[in-house]
Amino acid sequence: MRKLLVVIDMQKDFVDGALGTKEAVSIIPNVIEKIKSYDKKDVFFTRDTHQANYMQTQEGKNLPVEHCIEGTEGWEIDANIRPLSEGTTIVDKPTFGSTKLARMIKDIADKEDIEIELVGLCTDICVVSNALMLKATMPEVSISVDASCCAGVTPDKHGAALETMRSCQIYVKND
């Protein structure tokens, strides 16, 4: 059984930048250890990727905080984690969930048995979106999220997202 790790949006703007939180900063050591426990060929990073016109987009109108603008420091993977992203697959995504990521992992699942584990930011937006997209794409694949390697916009929203994932048969570890 091949085990894949999906590291969601561990970018400066979500850790300690424009939308950062103390909870996001606090999970960095756990995320580093988790990534180190996987073979690089089995690790997928996502990067929230917006353009200069962000404020004119649907997301920008609903979350009017510029963040993860492609090419900026805030868009980069957190400096503590960035060295671990070398040699892995990085998927830039323009919105919460990545259809490209789901297709890439489905291609692997079509050839071999896999399990998927997710970690990252923010539990209640991009982590839950990708977890549900992966589950909808591959309903028979075991999917888990490590709660100790995730942080939400707020602790309450983190908990609510974990409950949503549990309800959708995504295994929640270390809650």
Side-chain angles (χ1 to χ4, degrees):
M1 175 81 58
R2 184 172 171 190
K3 296 181 181 186
L4 306 180
L5 178 66
V6 179
V7 182
I8 305 290
D9 298 356
M10 289 300 300
Q11 295 162 269
K12 179 169 180 45
D13 272 347
F14 291 126
V15 175
D16 61 4
L19 294 170
T21 64
K22 66 183 188 327
E23 292 85 9
V25 171
S26 74
I27 68 167
I28 295 289
N30 292 347
V31 173
I32 289 170
E33 289 310 307
K34 181 68 70 174
I35 295 167
K36 287 180 176 178
S37 74
Y38 279 80
D39 189 309
K40 285 186 176 287
K41 72 175 175 43
D42 296 328
V43 179
F44 295 77
F45 277 81
T46 67
R47 280 188 302 211
D48 197 44
T49 302
H50 301 296
Q51 304 306 315
N53 70 339
Y54 172 76
M55 297 301 275
Q56 284 74 52
T57 67
Q58 186 69 30
E59 182 179 333
K61 291 173 186 173
N62 288 285
L63 176 63
V65 178
E66 279 194 358
H67 65 281
C68 299
I69 305 299
E70 187 171 12
T72 66
E73 182 183 10
W75 174 72
E76 296 291 337
I77 293 171
D78 176 80
N80 299 296
I81 294 174
R82 191 175 314 133
L84 299 172
S85 70
E86 294 172 16
T88 68
T89 301
I90 299 176
V91 178
D92 293 335
K93 59 182 189 59
T95 190
F96 311 125
S98 174
T99 55
K100 179 179 179 183
L101 175 71
R103 283 192 308 271
M104 291 171 77
I105 293 178
K106 173 95 168 59
D107 287 346
I108 295 168
D110 287 345
K111 296 177 186 118
E112 58 189 300
D113 290 334
I114 65 168
E115 293 179 358
I116 305 166
E117 183 173 18
L118 291 92
V119 300
L121 302 169
C122 294
T123 319
D124 50 310
I125 302 173
C126 293
V127 175
V128 69
S129 295
N130 283 285
L132 294 173
M133 189 170 292
L134 290 165
K135 192 65 173 175
T137 303
M138 296 163 281
E140 295 304 316
V141 170
S142 176
I143 299 175
S144 65
V145 62
D146 187 333
S148 72
C149 295
C150 295
V153 172
T154 67
D156 286 345
K157 288 185 176 189
H158 169 76
L162 295 175
E163 283 305 311
T164 295
M165 288 186 272
R166 273 190 195 96
S167 294
C168 295
Q169 301 174 1
I170 294 164
Y171 177 63
V172 177
K173 304 179 191 178
N174 300 317
D175 184 20

